[in-house]
Amino acid sequence: MTDLATPDTTGDTYLRYRDDLERPRPDEEEIIDKIIAVLRRNNERAYRTYKRGVRDAHAKSHGILRGELVVPDGLPKELAQGLFATAGSYPVIARLSSTSGVIRSDQLRGVRGLGIKVLGAQGPRALPDDDATTQDFIMVTHREFLFADAHAYLTQGMPTAWALARLSDPVMQFASNALAALDEKVLRRIHRPLPPTLGVFVRPTTHILGDTFYSSAPLRWGDHVAKLLYAPSSPEVVALQDRPMNAAGVNALQDLVVDFFATHSAEYELRVQLCTDPRVMPIEDATVPWPESVSPHRTVATIRFDRQDPYTPERRAFGDEVLSFNSWRGLDAHRPLGSINRLKKRVYEASSNYRHDVNNAARVEPTDISQLPQ
């Protein structure tokens, strides 16, 4: 039997990437077909509600940012992989969002999202018919994915999503507050906190620019396998970590982002956690935490955003209606791995196709940062 891990030059042991690391269920494609059919009905329902097509996840944005990703010189060999193999800088477009497929008030608790689009990524692509030169990373504020694989998403996630999409904001607010009170006053005192699928709805709403975002599911990291983390690093955004939102209005997060970048710049670190052992850090089960004690996150790049207006009407329209983000749009060296990512491969494309078709919107994959409106 082949050894799954090979030591690198530092003496640490990291899993070597191989094409046979993934182990799909025999019926996975049929499961994904069923999920796409349900999500298509959700897309159609949203179109009737909003009179336009919206994403079936990350429907509401809070800012479209222009930035720069900088890869430093001298990264260790195990980190200097793919896009990060050599020092350099790349233009970036980032979209901050809430993960719901329904456009809701920002006062509601929940998971926030971040789409990062790196321009100028040269090299073999994850998808053979993709001729773009961008690298997308999609991240959320929940460290592990809420469902292990596509089957769990179909049987557990889809019924929940169907029900939540039909609740009004006041009902969602009431239910979230009730769950938070139950968790804090009862369950945690008896050491039985809410399961993660409910826990995301009691997470306090914090300032989105101080949040840490995670890839949740693994991806190829050149010769290795990794998960990603994006965290505040400059003082102004570090100060916002865990800070309650403390802003009124249905678009409070948008207001916070616009107000911040009117007078401040911001810098974040992109960090990777390399897999050491697939038995401890599995590829196919996205709910299992990868322990920091075994392999800590390590910085591979910084992303800087200068002062700007991140939500002009033209920029919002470009980020929401024209752009699409798909973690499979990128280099083969960073190909997404595991069942949840194979699900996203088809779901994201189907959703994007529907949205652009009904909105009669061009699909543009930018080649130059000047294409992002001021």
Side-chain angles (χ1 to χ4, degrees), residues 17 22 69 71 75 77-86 90 118 121-127 134-138 215 217-228 270 272 274 300-301 326-338 341:
Y17 172 77
E22 296 178 278
L69 181 147
V71 180
L75 285 177
K77 180 181 177 182
E78 68 273 17
L79 300 182
Q81 302 285 327
L83 182 72
F84 305 83
T86 58
Y90 302 86
V118 184
Q122 303 291 338
R125 307 293 291 178
L127 298 177
T134 49
Q135 172 67 54
D136 289 1
F137 296 115
I138 297 177
S215 64
L219 69 159
R220 182 178 178 182
W221 196 258
D223 294 333
H224 304 290
V225 173
K227 288 186 177 182
L228 292 180
L270 193 64
V272 301
L274 295 175
V300 294
N326 188 331
S327 50
W328 284 85
R329 186 179 296 111
L331 301 178
D332 190 51
H334 302 306
R335 182 162 63 86
L337 301 173
N341 275 322

Side-chain angles (χ1 to χ4, degrees), residues 268-285:
Y268 296 82
E269 289 184 355
L270 193 64
R271 306 172 190 164
V272 301
Q273 182 185 28
L274 295 175
C275 181
T276 60
D277 185 342
R279 294 163 296 185
V280 178
M281 309 164 83
I283 307 299
E284 294 294 345
D285 187 344

Side-chain angles (χ1 to χ4, degrees), residues 34-80:
K34 293 177 182 178
I35 293 171
I36 289 175
V38 174
L39 292 178
R40 175 59 178 264
R41 292 195 290 272
N42 289 350
N43 287 151
E44 292 168 348
R45 181 178 182 274
Y47 182 77
R48 292 192 298 269
T49 300
Y50 303 117
K51 310 307 178 188
R52 63 185 177 90
V54 300
R55 291 166 167 86
D56 55 31
H58 305 273
K60 184 178 183 181
S61 66
H62 310 300
I64 314 297
L65 296 168
R66 177 196 302 253
E68 180 184 32
L69 181 147
V70 178
V71 180
D73 194 16
L75 285 177
K77 180 181 177 182
E78 68 273 17
L79 300 182

Side-chain angles (χ1 to χ4, degrees), residues 3-8 10-15 274-277 294-295:
D3 185 7
L4 288 177
T6 302
D8 70 11
T10 67
D12 294 323
T13 300
Y14 300 110
L15 177 69
L274 295 175
C275 181
T276 60
D277 185 342
V294 174
S295 179

Side-chain angles (χ1 to χ4, degrees), residues 305-357:
F305 303 105
D306 290 327
R307 291 172 55 182
Q308 59 191 285
D309 185 343
Y311 219 64
T312 64
E314 296 79 11
R315 187 178 288 195
R316 185 214 61 76
F318 188 78
D320 285 356
E321 312 299 338
V322 176
L323 285 186
S324 61
F325 291 82
N326 188 331
S327 50
W328 284 85
R329 186 179 296 111
L331 301 178
D332 190 51
H334 302 306
R335 182 162 63 86
L337 301 173
S339 181
I340 289 299
N341 275 322
R342 293 191 298 273
L343 167 65
K344 290 181 177 181
K345 176 183 179 180
R346 294 183 53 200
V347 164
Y348 279 25
E349 186 66 11
S351 174
S352 182
N353 286 341
Y354 177 83
R355 177 168 58 89
H356 285 87
D357 286 347

Side-chain angles (χ1 to χ4, degrees), residues 131-154:
D131 60 359
T133 55
T134 49
Q135 172 67 54
D136 289 1
F137 296 115
I138 297 177
M139 311 176 82
V140 294
T141 50
H142 195 68
R143 178 165 178 156
E144 282 75 47
F145 202 77
L146 297 176
F147 305 98
D149 54 21
H151 179 263
Y153 187 77
L154 174 65

